[in-house]
Amino acid sequence: VRLYVPRDAAALAAGADAVAEALQRECAARGLAVQIVRNGSRGLLWLETLVEVETPDGRVAYGPVRAEEVPGLLDAGLLQGRPHALCHGLTEAIPYLARQERLTFARVGVTDPLSLADYAAHGGWQGLKNAAAMAPEAVVQQVLDSGLRGRGGAAFPAGIKWRTVAAAAGAQKYIACNADEGDSGTFADRLLMEGDPYCLIEGMAIAGLAVGATQGYVYVRSEYPHAIATLNEAIARAAAAGWLGRDVAGSGRVFHLEVRQGAGSYVCGEETAMLESIEGRRGIVRAKPPLPAIEGLWGRPTVINNVITLATVPVIMARGAAFYQGFGLGRSRGTLPFQIAGNIARGGLVEKAFGLSLRELVEDFGGGTASGRPVKAVQVGGPLGSYVAPADWDAPLDYEGYAAKGNVVGHGGIVVHDDTADMARLARYAMEFCAVESCGKCTPCRIGSTRGVEVIERITSLQGAAHMANVALLESLCDTMERGSMCAMGGMTPYPVRSALRHYPQDFGIESTSVV
Ligand code: SF4
């Protein structure tokens, strides 16, 4: 009998290692022959540790399982997939999973992340094989035609970036993957790197062939030790099998790949600060132009894409641009792995085509708050994203629709708060976060964030005219930060601050939204 117990960090935090050991020990004591596969996480994080058993009808899920529950589960017939209070039936039929459109995450949680045989058996390397047989320009055209845009947050069309690097002069070019996933409430990159590392490797190799780059780097934050270990092992195995190195997939072309570890700085998720860090310097934002596509790593043309962007390329190259383009809304093509976190009953990863609403994500998938209290505020797009106005919770989620309302989709992170949240405190926290994480290069961000903390403290402590004067001062400060900062750190910190002020004025001691 084959059992699956995730090796993903989220599952490990919930006790997955102890569950795997208990299963091994208890089955051995009962003389039951089992094979335990350590898969990635399915992304149903509230059910971790999620144990699955292979049955003739498919995999049956049990969760959340604790080590001490293993003997009882075996007594109840876990190995036969029999009913139990923790049994959810066939994994693929769990509504949270069944309603998703998993293209990028199709294998995550299904396969053994480091098994090359598993990867190939589930469609792996087909995209790279197709790319290796095509002219580089044709590969770039496929990515352009797919409509894929950068999933790190900026949503810039990936194909245009690739075309720029392909056309740039120079014998040495690079692919840099941004895996510095620092946004609070986001974990899609980590889930992918730990659960299906070959998918990212394949996407980067395709990018290398398409633009003529011979070296790639995956810049992973130091807070992700499991992802780093998994990627390093996967890169070694992929190279030994001929998917990387001097003759990528039999193409006769070269592509080497290395992991570079960050050192705990949020701003190193900004692409030019990341380049500085990869080059071995302190992570400080570079002025643009020149664009990294023209002068990136060590002054050479460099494609910088996020993990999810690159890991989506294999499915595009395997199934065609039209297939991927068939998902989505308007100019937001394909799917996005949304990550639901914060005060939420069913937190986890939901990959869906653009166009669903925030309410569907928070209520239908997420099941409302974990506390059971009403949802008060939802922040979309990480710590620099806005609190989306409750009136817009039913609007379709896509890049243009969100931008038109002053919101951002970002990396797809969604953080939920219940009605006990104090939005003035959350606004103060946004400014404090910026003050702590600012790289210090420009004044509006470095000084403005500290002044922002002070102004919000005065708004919440003063009354009357002094109170209103500080509200006006906060608006003015936000203007300066938005217009005068060099990068999104200072430029977008006003988004959560202003949206909190606009949609929840009572938390700032203001009665009417008309004054702000
Ligand atoms: Fe650095 Fe902040 Fe300026 Fe960005 S906005 S360059 S993080 S000081």
Side-chain angles (χ1 to χ4, degrees):
V1 177
R2 188 176 292 163
L3 293 167
Y4 292 84
V5 182
R7 47 175 284 159
D8 178 90
L12 296 180
D17 275 349
V19 171
E21 280 162 28
L23 280 165
Q24 197 84 62
R25 193 175 53 240
E26 213 37 54
C27 288
R30 297 174 188 218
L32 303 167
V34 292
Q35 179 200 355
I36 297 179
V37 177
R38 303 302 302 267
N39 55 331
S41 171
R42 294 273 193 166
L44 285 61
L45 298 185
W46 82 100
L47 290 181
E48 295 293 359
T49 300
L50 185 82
V51 175
E52 293 176 82
V53 58
E54 207 161 71
T55 75
D57 297 328
R59 279 154 67 166
V60 174
Y62 296 81
V65 175
R66 289 173 301 157
E68 57 270 28
E69 290 165 323
V70 164
L73 280 162
L74 289 169
D75 292 343
L78 173 123
L79 297 190
Q80 293 74 40
R82 294 210 183 107
H84 183 278
L86 296 179
C87 181
H88 302 277
L90 292 173
T91 314
E92 305 282 352
I94 297 173
Y96 198 94
L97 257 186
R99 294 181 51 208
Q100 298 195 30
E101 291 153 305
R102 289 206 166 186
L103 305 182
T104 309
F105 279 74
R107 280 176 297 262
V108 177
V110 176
T111 55
D112 173 347
L114 288 172
S115 165
L116 282 163
D118 249 13
Y119 188 65
H122 287 81
W125 308 121
Q126 191 53 53
L128 179 55
K129 285 184 207 164
N130 292 350
M134 292 163 70
E137 313 80 61
V139 178
V140 173
Q141 194 60 45
Q142 282 284 307
V143 175
L144 267 172
D145 292 346
S146 73
L148 177 67
R149 291 163 72 178
R151 299 292 189 237
F156 188 78
I160 292 180
K161 201 179 270 186
W162 288 26
R163 191 171 61 188
T164 307
V165 174
Q172 179 65 62
K173 297 175 185 178
Y174 296 103
I175 311 294
C177 172
N178 188 342
D180 193 55
E181 193 171 45
D183 284 357
S184 44
T186 63
F187 44 85
D189 294 354
R190 186 189 58 70
L191 224 60
L192 191 289
M193 290 186 287
E194 292 186 22
D196 195 14
Y198 295 126
C199 185
L200 174 59
I201 292 168
E202 183 179 354
M204 291 189 71
I206 293 169
L209 297 189
V211 307
T214 55
Q215 177 70 48
Y217 296 96
V218 191
Y219 184 82
V220 191
R221 66 198 312 240
S222 56
E223 294 89 337
Y224 282 179
H226 302 94
I228 291 169
T230 305
L231 271 177
N232 276 325
E233 180 61 27
I235 288 170
R237 293 189 191 193
W243 301 110
L244 292 171
R246 296 183 158 279
D247 180 20
V248 175
S251 65
R253 287 177 274 168
V254 178
F255 188 70
H256 300 286
L257 191 53
E258 272 177 52
V259 172
R260 288 291 171 97
Q261 186 177 321
S265 160
Y266 178 75
V267 87
C268 284
E270 195 283 335
E271 60 179 10
T272 62
M274 181 188 79
L275 297 181
E276 290 285 306
S277 183
I278 293 176
E279 291 180 15
R281 284 191 291 277
R282 183 178 155 202
I284 294 185
V285 174
R286 291 180 186 172
K288 286 189 278 192
L291 292 171
I294 309 293
E295 284 181 40
L297 274 175
W298 294 286
R300 310 291 186 195
T302 303
V303 167
I304 304 175
N305 282 140
N306 161 262
V307 172
I308 303 302
T309 317
L310 289 161
T312 299
V313 169
V315 70
I316 291 169
M317 293 309 299
R319 303 188 70 171
F323 168 78
Y324 191 75
Q325 229 266 349
F327 294 83
L329 176 75
R331 288 181 51 223
S332 302
R333 307 313 310 171
T335 60
L336 188 71
F338 296 98
Q339 302 124 83
I340 318 176
N343 190 339
I344 191 81
R346 297 194 293 262
L349 183 124
V350 175
E351 184 177 352
K352 281 288 280 182
F354 290 96
L356 82 170
S357 72
L358 197 51
R359 196 181 299 281
E360 277 179 271
L361 282 164
V362 172
E363 293 182 0
D364 298 353
F365 282 96
T369 63
S371 63
R373 302 181 65 91
V375 175
K376 176 172 178 175
V378 188
Q379 186 176 26
V380 179
L384 309 180
S386 307
Y387 292 97
V388 175
D392 294 327
W393 290 356
D394 292 302
L397 242 160
D398 74 315
Y399 293 124
E400 274 65 38
Y402 261 47
K405 298 274 183 135
N407 300 319
V408 290
V409 176
H411 185 44
I414 290 167
V415 176
V416 179
H417 298 273
D418 75 9
D419 62 350
T420 62
D422 176 343
M423 302 309 292
R425 279 188 64 194
L426 287 170
R428 182 195 178 284
Y429 173 74
M431 285 292 189
E432 190 182 13
F433 179 75
C434 182
V436 170
E437 296 291 350
S438 169
C439 83
K441 185 153 183 167
C442 57
T443 314
C445 170
R446 185 183 70 246
I447 307 288
S449 51
T450 298
R451 294 291 92 86
V453 171
E454 295 163 1
V455 172
I456 293 171
E457 282 174 355
R458 288 202 294 272
I459 289 172
T460 52
S461 62
L462 297 177
Q463 309 287 326
H467 170 254
M468 291 314 296
N470 276 287
V471 172
L473 191 57
L474 182 60
E475 283 286 358
S476 167
L477 178 64
C478 285
D479 270 344
T480 304
M481 290 176 71
E482 273 186 42
R483 294 179 196 178
S485 298
M486 262 182 71
C487 83
M489 178 87 245
M492 287 179 63
T493 289
Y495 283 39
V497 175
R498 284 185 136 154
S499 56
L501 191 57
R502 289 228 156 74
H503 309 321
Y504 307 91
Q506 63 283 0
D507 285 13
F508 294 80
I510 300 164
E511 295 203 345
S512 160
T513 52
S514 61
V515 296
V516 292

